[in-house]
Every structure is written in structure tokens, then in C-alpha cells.
Amino acid sequence: MRKTSIQCLVVCAALSLFCASADLKLGFYDESCPKAEKIIFDYVKKHIPHEPSLAAPLLRMHFHDCFVGGCDASILMNSTSKNQAEKSAFPNLSLRGFDFIDRVKTLIEAECPGVVSCADILALVARDSVIVTGGPFWNVPTGRRDGLISNSIEVLKNLPAPTFNFSILQTSFASKGLSLKDLVLLSGAHTIGVSHCSSFSSRLYNFTGKGDEDPSLDSFYAANLKKYKCQVPNDTTTIVEMDPGSFRTFDLGYYKHLLKRRGLFQSDAALITNAATKAYIIQLVNNPLEVFFKEFALSMEKMGRIEVKTGSLGEIRKNCAVVNS
Ligand code: HEM
Ligand SMILES: *[C@@H]1O[C@H](CO)[C@@H](O)[C@H](O)[C@H]1NC(C)=O
Ligand SMILES: *[C@@H]1O[C@H](CO)[C@@H](O)[C@H](O)[C@H]1NC(C)=O
Ligand SMILES: *[C@@H]1O[C@H](CO)[C@@H](O)[C@H](O)[C@H]1NC(C)=O
Ligand SMILES: *[C@@H]1O[C@H](CO)[C@@H](O)[C@H](O)[C@H]1NC(C)=O
Ligand SMILES: *[C@@H]1O[C@H](CO)[C@@H](O)[C@H](O)[C@H]1NC(C)=O
């Protein structure tokens, strides 16, 4: 037993010299493009404060990228006459910030052409946008390579939907190597940003197909949403803060709303239907904000490693919207 594992170690170490795959590491571009991370941070710091509402969609974009075929910038690719890209799938509805990523990429290409992947740029921009708006820091090890495939069908197969219940959420996250703790923590990203009424209005107007309301939603809150926000069942334009009162601030507000049965999506509400995740949420709410920040950081780093392509896999795209020709 012992011998096999040592043999295995030796073989693996030898292989890794030739192997296409390698691990991500902090400061991957320290030698190949030493200014890359600073250029990204400076650009974000200069521009996001003027458009603070962009921090949320950029964070969400990184999540969508990672859950569909790994963090490989496939979310950034445009559709072509032959291919419907991830962008064109239904949940893209409200993704924003593609042009922001493109502008950062242009600056980076001017500094070191063909070196820094779009996947790493997206991961760093998401992190830096959250920092400059007062949110937590997390480590972003780099070395991701960009994928060659982007397919809208994969989005629906891989991305959790707001109608998911606890057990399918758990399965969905487990399939990406993420635990229930990660599920609770990463859902905490809903402390910033907004949702369209259409993402949850069935809970207000037609939960089981009988014109009814979701009984797990606080009825006072539901009444308010119907009166002031989502006034008709088919509203696809109005937006609602997911953490009302502090939707620009990365805080514990989202979890406090969950405990009052005011989570906006069934997938948010689901987190208090399980004893273990509910207990964990209560713990987060009762601890200083720094505890959430520290734990969130660990889960984000983990999410950023989902099915990454490294070494000689994939490519370094020149333009984030298209594969290199
Ligand atoms: C647990 C499964 C999740 C589901 C079902 C889910 C679903 C959604 C939906 C439906 C929206 C609103 C889209 C709209 O109508 O405009 C949204 C927004 C958002 N999601 Fe999630 N999400 C999940 C997890 C995550 C994770 C892991 C992150 C990031 C780490 C994240 C970050 C965000 C952010 C920041 C927004 C606001 C975007 C904006 O303001 O434009 N979500 N999510
Ligand atoms: C990708 O699509 C966007 C939006 O439709 C467009 O502005 C951009 O020019 C396209 N990029 C490329 C390289 O085709
Ligand atoms: C999002 O998908 C819809 C179709 O579901 C499409 O009409 C729209 O152009 C897409 N948006 C982007 C930014 O690609
Ligand atoms: C959760 O949703 C799945 C898929 O829709 C369904 O099969 C399952 O019965 C649901 N679980 C519970 C506990 O409602
Ligand atoms: C509610 O859903 C059912 C079944 O999907 C549908 O037949 C009905 O028209 C819907 N009612 C409203 C008010 O949208
Ligand atoms: C929603 O439906 C109502 C009637 O069913 C219609 O009058 C209204 O124009 C629709 N609104 C939108 C935004 O589609």
C-alpha cells in the first residue's frame, strides 16, 4: 500500500514535467506579465466606483463561467452562424459587463500580447470589483487557459435555476466539487445586486399552477412585492434588490432576509429548509462580518478552480469573444 503510493508520487512528479495539466498558482504571471494584476486592479478601481452596479453582474459572470464547462471564459464567447454560445442561453438575460472585460483585455494585450487568459482576467475582475465596492478579498490563483467551446445547451444543463429545491441544489453543487457549506456561502453573493421579477414571479402569482403564492415566502413581503415591484405576473423588465436596503453592500443582510423567509428565489428559500444549512446561516448571522468574509473567500477560491484548463490545454484567446483563428 505504502509502496504503491510512493511509486505513484514518483510517477506523477515525473509526468508533471511533460504533462499538459498543472495547478493554478498565485502570481502565475509574475514573470510572464508582471504588471497584469496591477493593471487589472487599477482599471477596476478607477471605473467601478462610477458604475458600482456592475460589480454584481461581474461576480455573477464568473460564477456562470465556472459552472458551465469550468472557469474557461466560455461565457465571454459570441455566438456564430454555426454555434449558439453560452451567452445566448436564457439565463444570460441579465448578464452585463462583457464590454468591461473586453476593455481590460485590450489593456492587458497592449502590455503582454497573448499571455494572460480571458478566464483569469474575468476571475480577477470579479474579485477586484467586489473589493473596490467594500466586499471581501479572496485569493485568485491564476494560470487558467481559455476554452475552445461555448454551447448554450450546456448552460441549462449545468447552471442551477432559481426554482431549484434543496436536494437538486445540493446535487448541482456536489457535481462541481462544492459542499453544502459552499452552497450557503456562495449564495451569499446575493447580498449584492438585483433580480428581474420574471426570475421569481411564479412564487407571487402562480406557484402550483392554481394562481397561488408560494407559502414558504413571507406573505407580508410577497404582498409588498406585488404592490410596489412585480405588479403583473408577466413583468420582464422591473428589477428588485435581492438584499433590500443594502443591495450595494456586501454584508449579512441576505442571510437575515432568508431567516425572515424573504429570500427571493426558491433556491434562496431552500437554504433554510435543511437543518444543517439553516444552522450554519444562523451561525453566520450571529458572527462578525469578517467570519463570513473569510469563509466566503475560501469558497470563491474553490469555485474558481472548477474544471480549469491549465498547462497546454485550451488557448490564450486574443479577443475574449472569439476563439483564435
Ligand atoms: C445557488 C444557485 C444560484 C442560483 C439559482 C442563482 C440565480 C440567480 C438569479 C435568477 C439571479 C437574477 C437574474 C435576473 O433575473 O436578473 C441572480 C443574480 C445574481 N447572482 Fe445568483 N444564483 C445562484 C448562485 C450564485 C453564485 C454562486 C453567485 C456568485 C458567487 C451568484 C451571484 C449573483 C449576483 C451577484 C447576482 C446579481 C446580478 C446583478 O445585479 O445583475 N449567484 N442569481
Ligand atoms: C461580440 O458581440 C458583441 C455584442 O453583440 C459585439 O459588440 C462585439 O463586437 C462582438 N465581438 C466580436 C469579436 O465579434
Ligand atoms: C441572451 O439570450 C437571448 C435569447 O434567449 C438573446 O436574444 C440575447 O441576445 C442574448 N444576450 C446576449 C448578451 O447574448
Ligand atoms: C426537488 O426537485 C426535484 C426535481 O424537480 C424533484 O424530483 C424532487 O422530488 C424535489 N424534492 C423535494 C424534496 O421536493
Ligand atoms: C398558472 O399556471 C397554469 C399552469 O401552468 C396556467 O394554466 C394558468 O394560466 C396560469 N395562471 C396565471 C394567472 O398565469
Ligand atoms: C402582461 O399581460 C397583460 C394581460 O395579460 C397585458 O395587458 C400586458 O401588456 C402584459 N405585459 C407585458 C409586460 O408583457
Side-chain angles (χ1 to χ4, degrees), residues 163-169:
T163 50
F164 275 15
N165 62 26
F166 184 81
S167 54
I168 30 178
L169 276 176

Side-chain angles (χ1 to χ4, degrees), residues 52-119:
S53 74
L54 212 48
L58 287 167
L59 176 59
R60 182 170 176 234
M61 198 190 286
H62 179 41
F63 158 58
H64 281 208
D65 185 31
C66 293
F67 262 64
V68 185
C71 319
D72 66 350
S74 49
I75 188 77
L76 302 176
M77 268 156 66
N78 281 1
S79 294
T80 61
S81 55
K82 293 194 200 105
N83 181 52
Q84 284 278 307
E86 287 171 29
K87 252 185 204 179
S88 66
F90 178 70
N92 80 358
L93 186 65
S94 49
L95 282 179
R96 295 192 294 129
F98 294 105
D99 51 326
F100 190 90
I101 301 290
D102 286 341
R103 293 201 293 275
V104 175
K105 174 67 171 175
T106 304
L107 287 179
I108 295 287
E109 284 299 294
E111 173 75 16
C112 350
V115 172
V116 183
S117 69
C118 296

Side-chain angles (χ1 to χ4, degrees), residues 24 55-56 58-67 71 122-128 130 135-141 144 173 176 178-179 181-190 192 250 255 292-306 308:
L24 301 180
L58 287 167
L59 176 59
R60 182 170 176 234
M61 198 190 286
H62 179 41
F63 158 58
H64 281 208
D65 185 31
C66 293
F67 262 64
C71 319
L122 175 53
L124 290 162
V125 164
R127 192 268 313 269
D128 293 349
V130 168
F137 169 90
W138 63 90
N139 281 320
V140 178
R144 294 171 190 77
F173 272 61
K176 305 295 169 187
L178 299 171
S179 67
K181 194 175 167 189
D182 296 318
L183 168 63
V184 170
L185 290 162
L186 294 171
S187 297
H190 290 169
I192 55 169
F250 221 101
Y255 296 116
F292 167 47
F293 276 21
K294 228 178 84 201
E295 299 290 309
F296 180 79
L298 296 176
S299 292
M300 280 304 298
E301 189 175 337
K302 214 166 148 187
M303 188 184 91
R305 291 182 187 276
I306 295 174
V308 290

Side-chain angles (χ1 to χ4, degrees), residues 242-296:
M242 294 190 291
D243 176 10
S246 67
F247 79 112
R248 291 266 167 87
T249 317
F250 221 101
D251 58 13
L252 295 165
Y254 165 77
Y255 296 116
K256 291 178 185 166
H257 284 293
L258 288 189
L259 294 173
K260 291 183 192 152
R261 303 194 304 130
R262 293 178 176 190
L264 216 43
F265 310 136
Q266 281 150 271
S267 59
D268 297 318
L271 303 178
I272 59 164
T273 63
N274 171 273
T277 50
K278 183 176 182 183
Y280 186 48
I281 290 168
I282 293 172
Q283 199 184 317
L284 284 170
V285 165
N286 288 328
N287 269 300
L289 182 61
E290 294 74 59
V291 174
F292 167 47
F293 276 21
K294 228 178 84 201
E295 299 290 309
F296 180 79

